[in-house]
Amino acid sequence: EGLNSYSNNAVKTAVKDIVGVQFRNTATVGGSIFGRYGFSDVLTVFSAMECYVELYKGGIVPLEQFAQSKKDNDILVRIIVKKSKGCFAYQSMRNTKTDFPVIACAVSCIDGRYRASIGARPSRAITVYDDKDIIAEDVNEASVKAFAQYVADNAPTQSNLRGSSEYRTHLIKVLVQRAIEDMKGAQ
């Protein structure tokens, strides 16, 4: 309840379509993040937040760095969600309701800085920051479209049986824009 309240229900939205009730009821946030799966809705949404993982041997590591690291035999002790003031939204595209996502997108604005986490590219989720202050203080249609294009340009995609690289890149632009629209209503 507290996590959903903090994330403007982005976490709830991210997990609601995971495969099916039986799988969803046995899956864990820690298992999804530690697995660093390319299709992970959970990894995507948590990557958009200021999160860290604490590893038994590796210590405290930013989630983004952990997500890109090689799999090893370390133990995930806990996930740390830094509760900075922010706004969050999650969007995904699936070919069927309980299928893995064709593309997953989580957008956040923390301390006025926008970022988008793109998962199911079909690779692991990556985060693209608005380093150029495209949106900055003026959230309007032109700045939102420009940011969506920037994210699409900086989130490489590949093709697989769920969709082509070009289709995924197009979806990134659409989902980033939709996510920011969702965030406007929550701010």
Side-chain angles (χ1 to χ4, degrees), residues 23-85:
F23 182 78
R24 190 170 50 244
N25 288 341
T26 60
T28 64
V29 170
S32 295
I33 288 178
F34 189 76
R36 295 166 266 199
Y37 304 114
F39 56 81
S40 177
D41 297 282
V42 175
L43 181 60
T44 303
V45 73
F46 276 82
S47 292
M49 297 189 259
E50 283 187 292
C51 292
Y52 299 83
V53 294
E54 182 179 348
L55 303 168
Y56 180 71
K57 293 179 184 173
I60 297 175
V61 178
L63 179 58
E64 295 170 56
Q65 179 183 332
F66 174 74
Q68 300 308 316
S69 66
K70 287 177 135 181
K71 293 186 179 183
D72 57 19
N73 289 326
D74 207 342
I75 299 169
L76 178 64
V77 176
R78 66 184 167 146
I79 300 162
I80 302 164
V81 179
K82 194 173 171 189
K83 293 163 197 77
S84 302
K85 185 174 170 51

Side-chain angles (χ1 to χ4, degrees), residues 56-177:
Y56 180 71
K57 293 179 184 173
I60 297 175
V61 178
L63 179 58
E64 295 170 56
Q65 179 183 332
F66 174 74
Q68 300 308 316
S69 66
K70 287 177 135 181
K71 293 186 179 183
D72 57 19
N73 289 326
D74 207 342
I75 299 169
L76 178 64
V77 176
R78 66 184 167 146
I79 300 162
I80 302 164
V81 179
K82 194 173 171 189
K83 293 163 197 77
S84 302
K85 185 174 170 51
C87 198
F88 310 90
Y90 180 84
Q91 294 277 324
S92 68
M93 173 61 191
R94 289 169 157 70
N95 289 331
T96 60
K97 186 171 174 68
T98 58
D99 195 4
F100 292 125
V102 173
I103 198 82
C105 171
V107 176
S108 65
C109 180
I110 300 172
D111 296 326
R113 186 173 182 209
Y114 281 82
R115 70 176 94 182
S117 176
I118 307 298
R121 314 172 293 114
S123 307
R124 297 175 186 173
I126 62 166
T127 305
V128 178
Y129 290 87
D130 185 7
D131 292 329
K132 299 185 181 290
D133 290 330
I134 297 167
I135 294 182
E137 296 172 20
D138 190 18
V139 180
N140 59 46
E141 187 176 341
S143 65
V144 170
K145 282 185 177 183
F147 179 62
Q149 182 65 54
Y150 179 75
V151 173
D153 291 344
N154 289 281
T157 59
Q158 299 169 340
S159 299
N160 70 3
L161 62 103
R162 286 186 174 71
S164 70
S165 174
E166 296 81 15
Y167 180 55
R168 284 186 163 97
T169 299
H170 172 74
L171 287 175
I172 289 170
K173 292 185 277 190
V174 172
L175 296 182
V176 166
Q177 290 178 56

